[in-house]
Amino acid sequence: MASSIHDLARHLNISIGTVSRALNGRADVNADTRQRVLEAARELNYSPNQSGRSLRQGATRSIAFMLQPHPGDQEYGEPFFIPFLTGLQARLAESGLDLIVVMGAPGDYQQERLRRVVETRRADAVVLAWTRREDERIDYLTERGFPFATLGRSRSGGSSYPSLDLDFEKAGSDAVDRLLARGHRRIAAIRPALDLNFGYLFLDGYRKALKRHGIEVDPGLIADGFINEAGGYQVTPRVMLAKDRPTAIIFNNDAMALGGCKALAEMGIRPGHDIAVTVIVDTPLCRYFSPALTAFRPSLEPMGRRLAEMLLASLPAFAGPEGTRIIHEVWPLELIARESD
Amino acid sequence: MASSIHDLARHLNISIGTVSRALNGRADVNADTRQRVLEAARELNYSPNQSGRSLRQGATRSIAFMLQPHPGDQEYGEPFFIPFLTGLQARLAESGLDLIVVMGAPGDYQQERLRRVVETRRADAVVLAWTRREDERIDYLTERGFPFATLGRSRSGGSSYPSLDLDFEKAGSDAVDRLLARGHRRIAAIRPALDLNFGYLFLDGYRKALKRHGIEVDPGLIADGFINEAGGYQVTPRVMLAKDRPTAIIFNNDAMALGGCKALAEMGIRPGHDIAVTVIVDTPLCRYFSPALTAFRPSLEPMGRRLAEMLLASLPAFAGPEGTRIIHEVWPLELIARESD
DNA sequence: TGTGTTCTCGTAAACGTTTACGGAAATCCG
DNA sequence: CGGATTTCCGTAAACGTTTACGAGAACACA
């Protein structure tokens, strides 16, 4: 069916070694024969078998991104990652690498799937997202010496791998500053209950900003919930029942914010009028919601490009002349002021 | 580094052939030796090299989904596909297949990327979405005899491949019926300008329903735009400037509807009050928009499962006892009445 | 002319599997 | 007990590449 390097060799009456060298642009092949090989390749519609090549070279020339759907929220997609993946893909393609997105089942937290990818050597490196504070995936990969990079920081694995994260601490702090400047004193914070690292960073920023302004942190105004709409819906009433009601809520996540607003609506509390609502990570949903939610926006597509760049810089096979480098970066979030605060 | 089948053989002092047979559960291996092999495999942390296996078997045991980001609309993700992919992945995993999502650059319409996947044999079959009326990808795949299935129908390729589509025609018709029942007579239709097949199906349903009620189809009420928010924003005023203004608009696409509503707002026209707005394919954005948009909702996750099932049934290697079957299905969309009409 | 260098190519091994084939040992059966 | 059958395993080839090695031819140079 598909033509192999042997077909080319037979067709041109030369050896497969020469064909391979010609195709791979090696120096020790006559310019004339190279020309003929390339023509024959086009004519016979040849393209190399990736399995054969991978087997020989021990490299698949592809990078895997582990995509994890939100558990328990079938209807809600993951618009967050698509622009990121677009950037990631674009940069990898420039270096001739394929991006493969490995889907996991919702909720299994990828460990099994990750093992499969690593152990069957389906990819040369992986990119992780939704990093946890203590992340077993990172432990696993560092232990095995498998190359990877992360979108998000973690305590696990030291600083032996490239990572790109958003400055959730600053965003949390800025959100508080802004609300304080607008006269709020009772500010609640709602974040995901899992060990997700950005939840800690956000809360750190929140706490520090309050303290900086001499305001005591009230544990009754901080709540953790499941990281989806249902979680926000469930947990928001809890902070609203604090003895001294908050006049503002900062949500760490768009889906939780939407659920929270639903709960507020049912309590007769109108975001933007009766209460200020701020969201840390902006998505299109925030923009279209009514009232439009004030939120902190990441530059996802450039981040994807950059993380690909950083990953490549850490791989010996792709690092430039100055050798491999492990880069860590933290990118700012941009405040998009809308109607909800 | 990673242990191979040779390591196991050496460790157990048996031949690699026996090891392979033991691992693959073939009959002609002693129960005792099989036990020892499996233990050794666990002990040495063995797992088969996918490249070697693929090379020998001529199959990668993975299915590729071609994911295409919307062009020109960086911020807007593609929440539509995630639940679909979740279902697809789940069903494939049950048959031991991996799902790999191949990202393309926005706008290149995948032809290049598809060629890469097919020609380098990175996957055993592919799943296509966003089918066009005349789809060069389908032509290419049928011509090459490469197995695939589609989410959506097409004129290309006959009925030689499994396809699962939504009943856009019925949805378009139902949408018109509903608006007519509510007293509207001037109903506009806005759909994507590309050759996307569902745009035709939708418009067919729209036209038929109008004719069925004896209402003439006014070309001035039909407009095509770029399939994103900007497209909806740009094209909506065109139908609003018809000599006899429409009192209702049906959008074929959520993003176009959102852009259209923005344009309407700027014209001082309020959806849900001054004009009825219906969307054919519901996404979370429709639910959160204000006013919440009446829309027709697909069951994406079950559709993903089903299309995987249908694809497997068409593959000789996976078809059940009754042999391979090419299945075509068209699934209904469910009307979700909200506030915008 | 003889020696050394450069250019170009063929040979063959290797990557990690699976599997067709055959053979030795064990078992069965009349 | 002898032949037939079954059980189990080793051998080796094959999948499609890449690449180390070496060899022949052409060329340069003294």
Side-chain angles (χ1 to χ4, degrees):
Chain A
M1 173 84 253
S3 58
S4 80
I5 214 170
H6 291 91
D7 300 326
L8 287 191
R10 207 174 314 123
H11 184 253
L12 294 169
N13 211 24
I14 57 179
S15 79
I16 60 163
T18 305
V19 174
S20 176
R21 281 192 297 267
L23 291 172
N24 291 356
R26 307 195 86 87
D28 57 347
V29 49
N30 186 291
D32 201 54
T33 26
R34 160 166 301 128
Q35 193 61 30
R36 286 170 45 227
V37 168
L38 292 178
E39 275 172 15
R42 208 166 325 112
E43 186 184 344
L44 298 191
N45 200 9
Y46 168 81
S47 60
N49 180 305
Q50 185 58 42
S51 299
R53 179 178 264 183
S54 300
L55 180 58
R56 169 62 215 226
Q57 297 191 318
T60 64
R61 297 197 70 81
S62 66
I63 306 293
F65 178 84
M66 312 295 299
L67 179 59
Q68 175 80 1
H70 268 175
D73 207 350
Q74 292 297 2
E75 196 185 342
Y76 182 76
E78 195 58 89
F80 183 86
F81 286 120
I82 305 286
F84 174 79
L85 287 173
T86 303
L88 197 65
Q89 186 287 320
R91 179 60 189 85
L92 291 177
E94 287 172 11
S95 293
L97 290 170
D98 284 339
L99 171 65
I100 68 184
V101 180
V102 181
M103 294 284 304
D108 73 352
Y109 200 48
Q110 305 180 335
Q111 192 66 20
E112 264 330 294
R113 217 116 264 277
L114 182 60
R115 295 184 91 92
R116 268 184 76 90
V117 171
V118 170
E119 293 179 357
T120 63
R121 271 135 278 170
R122 259 189 200 282
D124 298 337
V126 305
V127 176
L128 262 35
W130 293 97
T131 47
R132 305 207 170 189
R133 212 177 186 202
E134 317 284 346
D135 201 309
E136 54 176 347
R137 300 171 302 173
I138 294 178
D139 291 334
Y140 169 73
L141 291 169
T142 49
E143 189 187 344
R144 271 193 89 103
F146 196 88
F148 68 102
T150 62
L151 177 63
R153 283 160 285 175
S154 167
R155 285 182 170 176
S156 300
S159 58
S160 59
Y161 54 94
S163 74
L164 176 59
D165 203 357
L166 288 165
D167 198 344
F168 292 99
E169 187 171 342
K170 174 118 186 348
S173 169
D174 285 355
V176 169
D177 284 348
R178 173 177 161 90
L179 290 169
L180 288 174
R182 302 183 140 221
H184 297 277
R185 286 298 172 271
R186 301 282 298 162
I187 303 173
I190 292 181
R191 59 166 193 166
L194 294 174
D195 194 39
L196 291 164
N197 195 59
F198 63 75
Y200 290 94
L201 297 170
F202 158 62
L203 212 57
D204 282 351
Y206 165 86
R207 286 211 183 90
K208 282 181 188 164
L210 285 178
K211 283 182 183 156
R212 200 186 317 123
H213 288 85
I215 298 181
E216 200 182 349
V217 175
D218 178 356
L221 293 186
I222 300 175
D224 297 350
F226 208 61
I227 184 171
N228 59 21
E229 197 185 329
Y233 179 76
Q234 188 187 356
V235 87
T236 299
R238 207 174 303 163
V239 300
M240 294 307 292
L241 296 179
K243 45 192 173 308
D244 196 0
R245 249 194 185 182
T247 62
I249 307 182
I250 309 173
F251 289 93
N252 199 354
N253 172 270
D254 64 328
M256 295 185 77
L258 295 170
C261 287
K262 185 176 166 205
L264 292 173
E266 291 180 4
M267 299 168 77
I269 304 171
R270 292 166 304 167
H273 291 85
D274 311 320
I275 196 167
V277 166
T278 307
V279 183
I280 293 301
V281 182
D282 186 36
T283 69
L285 292 175
C286 297
R287 182 152 59 98
Y288 292 116
F289 190 72
S290 177
L293 301 175
T294 291
F296 288 83
R297 182 168 61 184
S299 331
L300 294 172
E301 203 265 354
M303 286 174 68
R305 286 195 72 89
R306 182 58 183 149
L307 188 54
E309 191 97 31
M310 291 161 58
L311 176 59
L312 291 176
S314 77
L315 298 175
F318 295 96
E322 62 260 36
T324 67
R325 290 162 296 152
I326 305 294
I327 310 172
H328 306 276
E329 287 185 6
V330 176
W331 284 32
L333 289 143
E334 180 195 6
L335 173 69
I336 309 292
R338 298 202 181 96
E339 310 164 3
S340 64
D341 67 345
Chain B
M1 174 83 252
S3 58
S4 80
I5 215 171
H6 292 91
D7 300 327
L8 287 190
R10 206 175 315 120
H11 184 252
L12 294 170
N13 212 23
I14 58 179
S15 80
I16 60 163
T18 305
V19 174
S20 176
R21 281 192 297 266
L23 291 172
N24 290 355
R26 306 195 87 87
D28 58 346
V29 49
N30 186 290
D32 201 53
T33 17
R34 162 166 299 129
Q35 194 59 30
R36 285 170 47 227
V37 169
L38 292 179
E39 273 173 16
R42 206 167 325 113
E43 186 185 342
L44 297 192
N45 201 8
Y46 168 81
S47 59
N49 180 307
Q50 184 60 40
S51 299
R53 177 179 266 184
S54 300
L55 180 57
R56 167 64 213 229
Q57 297 192 318
T60 64
R61 296 196 70 80
S62 66
I63 307 293
F65 178 84
M66 312 294 299
L67 179 60
Q68 175 80 359
H70 268 175
D73 206 351
Q74 290 299 1
E75 196 186 340
Y76 182 75
E78 196 56 88
F80 183 87
F81 285 121
I82 306 286
F84 174 79
L85 287 174
T86 303
L88 197 66
Q89 186 285 321
R91 179 61 188 85
L92 291 176
E94 288 172 12
S95 293
L97 290 169
D98 284 338
L99 171 66
I100 68 184
V101 180
V102 180
M103 293 284 303
D108 71 353
Y109 200 48
Q110 305 181 336
Q111 192 66 19
E112 264 330 294
R113 217 116 266 278
L114 182 61
R115 295 185 91 91
R116 268 183 76 90
V117 172
V118 169
E119 293 178 358
T120 63
R121 271 134 278 170
R122 260 190 199 281
D124 298 337
V126 305
V127 176
L128 261 34
W130 293 96
T131 47
R132 304 205 170 191
R133 210 177 187 202
E134 317 284 345
D135 201 310
E136 54 177 347
R137 301 171 302 173
I138 294 178
D139 292 334
Y140 169 72
L141 291 169
T142 49
E143 188 186 346
R144 273 192 88 103
F146 196 87
F148 68 103
T150 62
L151 178 62
R153 281 162 286 175
S154 167
R155 284 182 171 177
S156 300
S159 58
S160 60
Y161 53 93
S163 74
L164 176 59
D165 201 358
L166 288 165
D167 197 345
F168 291 100
E169 187 171 342
K170 174 118 184 348
S173 170
D174 285 355
V176 169
D177 283 348
R178 173 177 161 89
L179 290 168
L180 288 174
R182 301 183 140 219
H184 296 278
R185 286 298 172 271
R186 302 281 298 161
I187 304 173
I190 292 182
R191 59 165 194 167
L194 293 175
D195 194 39
L196 291 165
N197 194 59
F198 63 76
Y200 290 94
L201 297 171
F202 158 62
L203 213 57
D204 283 350
Y206 165 86
R207 286 210 184 90
K208 283 182 189 163
L210 284 178
K211 285 182 183 157
R212 202 187 315 124
H213 288 84
I215 299 180
E216 199 182 351
V217 176
D218 179 355
L221 293 185
I222 300 175
D224 297 348
F226 208 60
I227 183 170
N228 59 22
E229 196 185 330
Y233 179 77
Q234 188 187 358
V235 87
T236 298
R238 207 175 301 163
V239 300
M240 294 307 293
L241 296 179
K243 44 192 173 308
D244 196 2
R245 248 196 186 181
T247 62
I249 307 182
I250 310 173
F251 289 93
N252 199 354
N253 172 271
D254 64 330
M256 296 186 75
L258 295 170
C261 286
K262 185 177 166 202
L264 291 174
E266 291 180 5
M267 300 167 77
I269 305 171
R270 293 165 303 167
H273 291 85
D274 311 320
I275 196 166
V277 166
T278 307
V279 183
I280 293 301
V281 181
D282 186 36
T283 69
L285 291 174
C286 297
R287 181 151 60 99
Y288 293 117
F289 190 71
S290 177
L293 301 175
T294 291
F296 288 82
R297 181 168 62 185
S299 331
L300 295 171
E301 204 266 353
M303 286 174 69
R305 287 196 72 90
R306 182 60 182 149
L307 188 55
E309 191 97 31
M310 290 160 58
L311 176 60
L312 291 176
S314 78
L315 298 175
F318 296 96
E322 62 260 37
T324 67
R325 291 162 297 152
I326 305 294
I327 310 172
H328 306 278
E329 288 185 6
V330 176
W331 284 32
L333 289 143
E334 180 195 6
L335 172 68
I336 308 292
R338 297 202 182 95
E339 312 163 2
S340 64
D341 67 347

